[in-house]
Amino acid sequence: MVELVPKHPSGGYILEELHVGMRAEKIIPVTEQRIQQFADASDDFNPVHMDEAFAAKTAYRGRIAHGLLTASFGSAVVGTHLPGAGAIYLSQTLGFHLPVRIGEEVLVRVSVKSVDQESARVELDCEGFVDGKLVMDGVALVRVPRRRRPAKA
């Protein structure tokens, strides 16, 4: 059973609250500003992302977003929603299926695939869609807190 879950009031789910089938989604717009900021942060200024005249002559017939920018949108869900605050990425597989362009919106969907109580690790299916078409997918492995930190007095 798939269960769309709200953000946890504390900011993150702990290990004991997670179960297979939990899902969270977020829509993230791909903007010129995001592409520029990602290029600045990653030092990836490939002209297929940055130069319309160059990109127009490629198989993509125009600029496309960095694949890892699109993939990073999964981190927005994992780090702030499901599991949320305290989750630490250990690994991520990725597959890119279609290009993403400026002006498009990516629906990011993260679903709990498995929960390992012993190791405090959770596998998450991560998918990105544009207009209902799968643009990227993969599996994340994250470590999740077993308990919440007490509030500071």
Side-chain angles (χ1 to χ4, degrees):
M1 179 176 128
V2 175
E3 173 191 2
L4 194 59
V5 296
K7 285 187 178 183
H8 196 280
S10 74
Y13 290 88
I14 59 172
L15 187 66
E16 293 75 15
E17 295 170 327
L18 296 170
H19 61 271
V20 173
M22 294 174 78
R23 184 178 82 199
E25 298 178 347
K26 182 174 182 138
I27 296 172
I28 301 176
V30 177
T31 64
E32 176 69 40
Q33 181 181 14
R34 284 185 195 274
I35 289 174
Q36 183 63 54
Q37 288 173 329
F38 189 84
D40 290 339
S42 67
D43 212 26
D44 178 354
F45 294 95
N46 183 329
V48 78
H49 308 305
M50 310 305 293
D51 182 335
E52 186 60 43
F54 175 90
K57 297 174 188 171
T58 69
Y60 299 109
R61 303 286 184 244
R63 289 173 61 200
I64 60 172
H66 302 75
L68 289 178
L69 170 62
T70 304
S72 75
F73 296 161
S75 183
V77 177
V78 172
T80 65
H81 193 133
L82 182 67
I88 302 296
Y89 259 96
L90 300 174
S91 66
Q92 172 79 54
T93 63
L94 290 171
F96 299 102
H97 307 289
L98 294 170
V100 176
R101 301 184 185 280
I102 297 169
E104 293 182 327
E105 291 184 330
V106 179
L107 168 66
V108 180
R109 180 177 296 148
V110 173
S111 306
V112 176
K113 181 177 180 174
S114 70
V115 178
D116 184 335
Q117 294 289 335
E118 191 171 314
S119 68
R121 295 177 181 201
V122 177
E123 274 188 314
L124 303 166
D125 282 325
C126 302
E127 301 170 304
F129 299 89
V130 172
D131 295 328
K133 296 176 186 157
L134 183 69
V135 296
M136 70 96 196
D137 62 0
V139 176
L141 181 64
V142 298
R143 180 174 291 129
V144 179
R146 294 180 187 275
R147 62 189 69 79
R148 289 186 183 80
R149 288 186 166 188
K152 292 184 179 181

